[in-house]
Amino acid sequence: MSAGSPLVFRPSFAQRAMAVLLFAGSWLVGVRALAQILERLPVLRASLKVAEAASEPTWSFWVAVIAAIGAVVAGSLLLLGTLFGLLLVEGSQVLVDELGLAVEHNALPTPLARKLGAGRLPWKQISRLERSGPFFVLRGGAEPKQAGPKDPTLRFLMVDQLERLVLIVLERSPNLKHED
């Protein structure tokens, strides 16, 4: 690898397509569920009025309304989660050069991207490589710095040729600690 051309690791076409399919599928399921709930609300309201007129208990109708609202909220959270995952997969890349490793999340605003693991670590600063939930995590702090901000923790969701990336990190990081 020459000094002027960094290696770029991005999610593969199949990984990006899977993220798009998950997002589109959750969108379709959410729209269909919302349509069914809206379709049944007039029937539920009429049944509630009949039960109130007959002086029957109405708690089961209220439970159904609350369950419908809960389903809408859960579906919205699922949709936001899959949108967030799509943005993380589509806009992420890992750059490897002679100086170190950088993770970029280009589809997210800069403050959010930094919070989610975008940043740069020199090879000597990398102390651990681990898996945390769906993320691959590179932790800094192997070598004490003089004065400045603490070493970032880099996170990325997935990349094509992950094995190659891990081998490069293992080869070039002299202070990487191995945990058994």
Side-chain angles (χ1 to χ4, degrees):
M1 182 170 72
S2 67
S5 62
L7 289 174
V8 178
F9 292 89
R10 289 188 38 92
S12 69
F13 175 76
Q15 291 168 331
R16 292 181 7 235
M18 183 63 70
V20 169
L21 286 174
L22 284 171
F23 174 71
S26 67
W27 177 261
L28 291 174
V29 167
V31 167
R32 176 74 175 140
L34 184 60
Q36 286 182 345
I37 289 169
L38 292 176
E39 178 181 299
R40 294 177 191 212
L41 276 179
V43 173
L44 190 58
R45 184 172 178 233
S47 299
L48 181 62
K49 294 285 185 190
V50 169
E52 284 177 347
S55 298
E56 293 181 9
T58 59
W59 63 270
S60 61
F61 296 108
W62 289 111
V63 168
V65 168
I66 291 171
I69 292 170
V72 168
V73 169
S76 299
L77 291 176
L78 176 66
L79 183 61
L80 285 175
T82 57
L83 174 63
F84 182 67
L86 174 66
L87 291 175
L88 269 177
V89 169
E90 191 60 38
S92 295
Q93 62 185 11
V94 179
L95 301 168
V96 176
D97 59 17
E98 292 296 323
L99 300 175
L101 188 133
V103 174
E104 297 177 354
H105 300 302
N106 297 325
L108 298 172
T110 303
L112 183 59
R114 287 186 197 273
K115 186 168 181 78
L116 290 172
R120 181 165 185 79
L121 276 174
W123 293 117
K124 291 181 179 181
Q125 293 293 324
I126 297 174
S127 65
R128 288 190 311 194
L129 171 64
E130 58 193 25
R131 182 86 190 252
S132 176
F135 290 99
F136 295 94
V137 180
L138 289 160
R139 298 197 187 275
E143 207 174 67
K145 293 175 79 172
Q146 289 81 10
K150 69 174 191 155
D151 289 324
T153 298
L154 306 182
R155 290 182 186 87
F156 57 94
L157 199 54
M158 62 179 72
V159 294
D160 195 23
Q161 300 181 2
L162 179 65
E163 298 84 12
R164 182 176 175 203
L165 176 61
V166 169
L167 286 175
I168 291 172
V169 170
L170 291 173
E171 288 174 1
R172 295 186 176 206
S173 302
N175 298 321
L176 187 67
K177 296 178 184 115
H178 301 282
E179 295 181 15
D180 295 329

